[in-house]
Amino acid sequence: MLNTAAKSEASGAEQELTDGFHLVIDALKLNGLTTIYGVPGIPITDFGRMAQAAGIRVLSFRHEQNAGYAAAIAGFLTKKPGVCLTVSAPGFLNGLTALAHATTNCFPMILISGSSEREIVDLQQGDYEEMDQLAIAKPLCKAAFRVLHAQDIGIGLARAIRAAVSGRPGGVYLDLPAKLFGQVINAEAGAKSLVKVIDAAPAQIPAPSAVKRALEVLRSAKRPLIILGKGAAYAQADDAIRAFVEKSGAPFLPMSMAKGLLPDLHQQCAGAARSTVLKDADVVMLVGARLNWLLSHGKGKTWGDAPKKFIQVDIEPKEMDSNVEIAAPLVGDIGSCVAALLEAMGGNWPAPPADWLNAVKTKRDDNVAKMAPRLMNNNSPMDYHGALGVLRTIVKERPDAILVNEGANTLDLARGVIDMYQPRKRLDVGTWGVMGIGMGTAIAAAVETGKPVLAVEGDSAFGFSGMEVETICRYGLPVCIVIFNNDGIYRGTDVNSAGADPATTVFVKGARYDKMMEAFGGIGVNATTPDELKRAVNAAMDSGKPTLINAVIDPAAGSESGRIGNLNPQSVLKKK
């Protein structure tokens, strides 16, 4: 129902009016966008109040970047654009990193920012927080729009929604100058100007010839491998994907946010034999995964010397051949493509050669057996494996909980150690490897799903968004944060040999992050052994109360840049 802002008399008759504030709210509600993540301030403070009063849930953060990360992951979880609301200029810029993150990761998101008046900005006359925000946003998102007239609010939001979710999803910027909110128009005309977006992300059916080609290449494989990416998780075609993988009989390798599409303990899962399957496979099928840096661009020593043929399932045609030749491109949405593959496979699809399946199983079982003792130690201070072994068991016992994970060593090791059992239960830094997504992601995961959240953070990663623990406490969210505290970035043992300042990678020794949580009314726990960690996490997950556990990790534990140290350039010069 349209919110009426005012009434006036025109030609002796009473005329019902509305304004930009109410039209934006009504347009959002009409399209089912009923949660906003943001930071209040000029010129959108009153808009946030009005939206809240109209039944939209408005969650106020301490920093726009974290609100943006929340909106981005909300888009991934719901397949609807997550909405982030910011003030102009500095607030807009803070949200822009998250918008670019959403675009890179193919998460649907809309960043709505108030902005300065066009006539002053365009003449560069020095308005309050003056900035040409639309021009700045355009290169960093999928689409960008500005609305100048109240009667265009409905079509402006409709365009933003459709751009965010159709084709390859991504971030969209919507610029709303301050004057727009106060513009008054006839209420009946305003109601007629609103647009309910129909079929915002229409199915894109793959060509039958492409389906046939893909299956011919897959059938020819002696050593097939299926790689599932977060695009497959986003598609929410879980049953069809599982049926296809099982019918193919091929080993599958889940990328980190695709873990749980099939359980990591599934007999076909090759996660524990990653190096072997990448090196030795002869046909690799990518489903919603890209051959970017996370897969060594599909070439080099990671992929071995065995000739490879690639099948790629993706909604974006330009993704094909981005790094290597794709023998069988299959363009369409994941759900439609997998359904078409399943139908065309028939009822007697041949199993992959037994020697390949046995080789993968042997390597996987050997690696799991080698790792097991490391995950069962009770050292104090803890090492990464002892602490992660505890969390691995807790996640197994609570498969419905959502795991949020970021850091360097904390991320890299947890990705391999902690098994997932359900789709979209592991949320992490994604394609960009962005540090700082943790608290925003944890908040949105709790809000959008209603499930308990376990956020496993490196102490460095936590620093980017740590003040949002106040937000978690303010809204009483069921979030348990575990900080792997080893006193520094990578390690806490570096020394500055040239002066009195601490080394650049070292933090305050013995920091107690748990006290920070207590300051806002949450529960803080200091855990020094795996047993203490286990008790604290279970208590937090049982209670559903905001909790932060300071997990004391040996400062010498960890490696430079985690498992991507090869990306860190090294000087070849020797000191004299």
Side-chain angles (χ1 to χ4, degrees):
M1 182 176 177
L2 191 73
N3 291 295
T4 304
K7 292 183 178 180
S8 69
E9 291 186 5
S11 304
E14 195 174 63
Q15 184 182 26
E16 197 169 18
L17 303 176
T18 189
D19 62 13
F21 286 107
H22 295 87
L23 287 169
V24 174
I25 291 167
D26 291 333
L28 289 167
K29 292 178 69 176
L30 181 64
N31 286 284
L33 302 181
T34 55
T35 302
I36 295 174
Y37 303 94
V39 176
I42 298 172
I44 48 87
T45 306
D46 282 349
F47 172 77
R49 294 186 180 117
M50 292 179 183
Q52 196 174 49
I56 291 177
R57 191 169 191 189
V58 183
L59 291 104
S60 179
F61 282 63
R62 303 302 293 263
H63 194 281
E64 292 91 350
Q65 192 172 108
N66 303 320
Y69 290 142
I73 208 66
F76 172 77
L77 290 169
T78 66
K79 298 187 73 175
K80 298 191 299 184
V83 177
C84 177
L85 178 68
T86 82
V87 303
S88 53
F92 155 76
L93 291 174
N94 288 342
L96 200 55
T97 299
L99 187 67
H101 165 77
T103 303
T104 302
N105 281 286
C106 311
F107 300 157
M109 170 187 166
I110 301 174
L111 174 65
I112 300 176
S113 294
S115 64
S116 298
E117 304 311 331
R118 298 306 316 153
E119 60 269 26
I120 302 178
V121 173
D122 290 345
L123 279 173
Q124 300 176 27
Q125 293 180 314
D127 200 6
Y128 171 71
E129 295 188 348
E130 177 183 298
M131 180 176 285
D132 190 350
Q133 294 170 199
L134 187 75
I136 292 170
K138 279 182 177 179
L140 298 173
C141 57
K142 187 178 176 187
F145 306 101
R146 176 183 288 129
V147 181
L148 293 176
H149 305 292
Q151 61 266 31
D152 294 329
I153 286 171
I155 203 70
L157 183 65
R159 294 203 70 189
I161 292 169
R162 194 173 291 280
V165 300
S166 62
R168 172 172 282 179
V172 175
Y173 175 60
L174 189 61
D175 188 276
L176 304 181
K179 281 186 180 178
L180 176 73
F181 292 104
Q183 285 183 23
V184 175
I185 65 171
N186 177 272
E188 184 179 356
K192 290 179 179 178
S193 74
L194 300 182
V195 176
K196 182 175 177 60
V197 180
I198 306 300
D199 198 13
Q204 295 191 25
I205 310 299
S209 60
V211 173
K212 181 181 179 182
R213 183 193 305 118
L215 290 178
E216 286 174 350
V217 174
L218 185 62
R219 191 191 297 267
S220 72
K222 302 298 183 186
R223 299 180 301 280
L225 172 66
I226 296 172
I227 298 180
L228 302 174
K230 66 178 178 296
Y234 172 82
Q236 297 192 19
D238 307 333
D239 292 343
I241 289 171
R242 179 166 187 155
F244 169 71
V245 172
E246 291 182 339
K247 194 169 188 177
S248 77
F252 72 90
L253 182 66
M255 302 301 287
S256 62
M257 284 181 60
K259 285 165 68 72
L261 269 170
L262 287 83
D264 284 341
L265 299 184
H266 192 283
Q267 62 181 1
Q268 288 171 248
C269 184
R274 176 188 172 98
S275 297
T276 295
V277 292
L278 290 180
K279 177 171 59 72
D280 293 341
D282 63 348
V283 170
V284 179
M285 184 172 198
L286 303 154
V287 182
R290 293 175 282 184
L291 285 173
N292 52 30
W293 71 277
L294 290 163
L295 285 169
S296 301
H297 308 285
K299 50 194 172 186
K301 64 180 182 179
T302 297
W303 291 88
D305 298 324
K308 300 280 193 292
K309 286 185 178 180
F310 288 94
I311 306 164
Q312 186 161 9
V313 182
D314 201 288
I315 201 167
E316 175 53 67
K318 294 193 296 292
E319 184 61 38
M320 309 302 173
D321 308 314
S322 60
N323 276 291
V324 298
E325 178 185 359
I326 302 300
L330 188 56
V331 177
D333 68 274
I334 300 293
S336 296
C337 287
V338 173
L341 288 165
L342 267 171
E343 183 179 0
M345 289 171 84
N348 57 346
W349 186 263
D355 58 348
W356 171 237
L357 299 181
N358 291 335
V360 175
K361 181 180 184 302
T362 299
K363 188 63 176 178
R364 181 187 66 211
D365 293 348
D366 287 349
N367 287 341
V368 169
K370 288 176 183 176
M371 181 64 70
R374 302 183 68 184
L375 303 178
M376 297 175 65
N377 76 70
N378 199 36
N379 297 341
S380 180
M382 292 180 278
D383 60 24
Y384 285 97
H385 289 91
L388 288 171
V390 164
L391 300 182
R392 180 177 187 259
T393 300
I394 289 171
V395 170
K396 184 176 183 180
E397 294 169 349
R398 303 171 185 269
D400 202 33
I402 295 178
L403 174 67
V404 174
N405 187 206
E406 66 171 336
N409 292 277
T410 305
L411 170 73
D412 295 337
L413 294 172
R415 186 160 38 202
V417 168
I418 300 178
D419 294 319
M420 305 307 298
Y421 303 88
Q422 297 179 18
R424 294 170 296 282
K425 298 298 186 182
R426 179 185 164 82
L427 309 174
D428 62 30
V429 300
T431 304
W432 248 7
V434 173
M435 197 79 81
I437 56 91
M439 296 303 95
T441 297
I443 290 167
V447 168
E448 299 292 345
T449 70
K451 303 294 184 183
V453 176
L454 175 62
V456 181
E457 301 272 311
D459 51 353
S460 174
F462 176 74
F464 287 82
S465 62
M467 270 303 295
E468 301 301 345
V469 298
E470 187 274 334
T471 308
I472 292 169
C473 291
R474 191 176 355 126
Y475 292 101
L477 299 175
V479 176
C480 173
I481 305 159
V482 177
I483 297 178
F484 278 28
N485 181 5
N486 69 341
D487 293 341
I489 301 172
Y490 312 135
R491 291 180 299 271
T493 56
D494 285 358
V495 175
N496 175 10
S497 59
D501 286 341
T504 57
T505 56
V506 169
F507 297 150
V508 170
K509 302 292 184 183
R512 291 288 301 273
Y513 295 99
D514 51 308
K515 298 295 184 183
M516 181 179 175
M517 192 66 156
E518 291 176 354
F520 299 113
I523 297 171
V525 181
N526 189 56
T528 60
T529 68
D531 287 344
E532 291 176 358
L533 178 61
K534 181 178 181 180
R535 288 195 295 271
V537 174
N538 276 323
M541 301 296 278
D542 287 339
S543 72
K545 296 178 180 178
T547 302
L548 191 153
I549 301 164
N550 185 62
V552 180
I553 304 293
D554 185 348
S559 60
E560 179 75 20
S561 303
R563 291 191 175 180
I564 57 173
N566 62 300
L567 300 180
N568 210 14
Q570 303 292 313
S571 174
V572 298
L573 301 179
K574 293 182 179 180
K575 292 182 180 180
K576 295 182 179 179

